[in-house]
Amino acid sequence: MLRVDVCNLKNNKGVLYAALYRNQQSFLNEKECYASKIVESNHADTLSFFFEELPIGKYALAIFFDKNGNGRMDTNFLGIPKEPFGFSARKMPLFKAPRFDEASFVLKPDNNKLVIKLISF
């Protein structure tokens, strides 16, 4: 099981979309994610959810917070996100989304927890 705590929501109303990936080929292609979650905001600064029954292995998580309820990540004309987002990356690269290997983590038999701070531009 994987627990995910997403912080920096800033008490916003909206929906959190999370996609879990297992390899570089599918990474950031929402139609090819391994597992996904859609979580309604509870108007708090932190939101928690779980992925259950995951096999041990390497994963990467991508998240965005849909503030306007249109079901997609809104970007400006340069492709820069207009809505909060986050990754399981240990350190985010500048000016681009991380690669799978930069965002990946290893799921262990127990005590799996990620804390993801959303980024807004």
Side-chain angles (χ1 to χ4, degrees), residues 2 12 15 20 34 75 89:
L2 172 64
N12 284 316
V15 179
L20 193 61
Y34 181 78
T75 59

Side-chain angles (χ1 to χ4, degrees), residues 1-5 46 48-51 112-115:
M1 177 170 58
L2 172 64
R3 176 187 172 131
V4 180
D5 293 338
T46 301
S48 299
F49 60 92
F50 297 88
F51 286 100
N112 294 289
K113 179 180 175 182
L114 289 177
V115 177

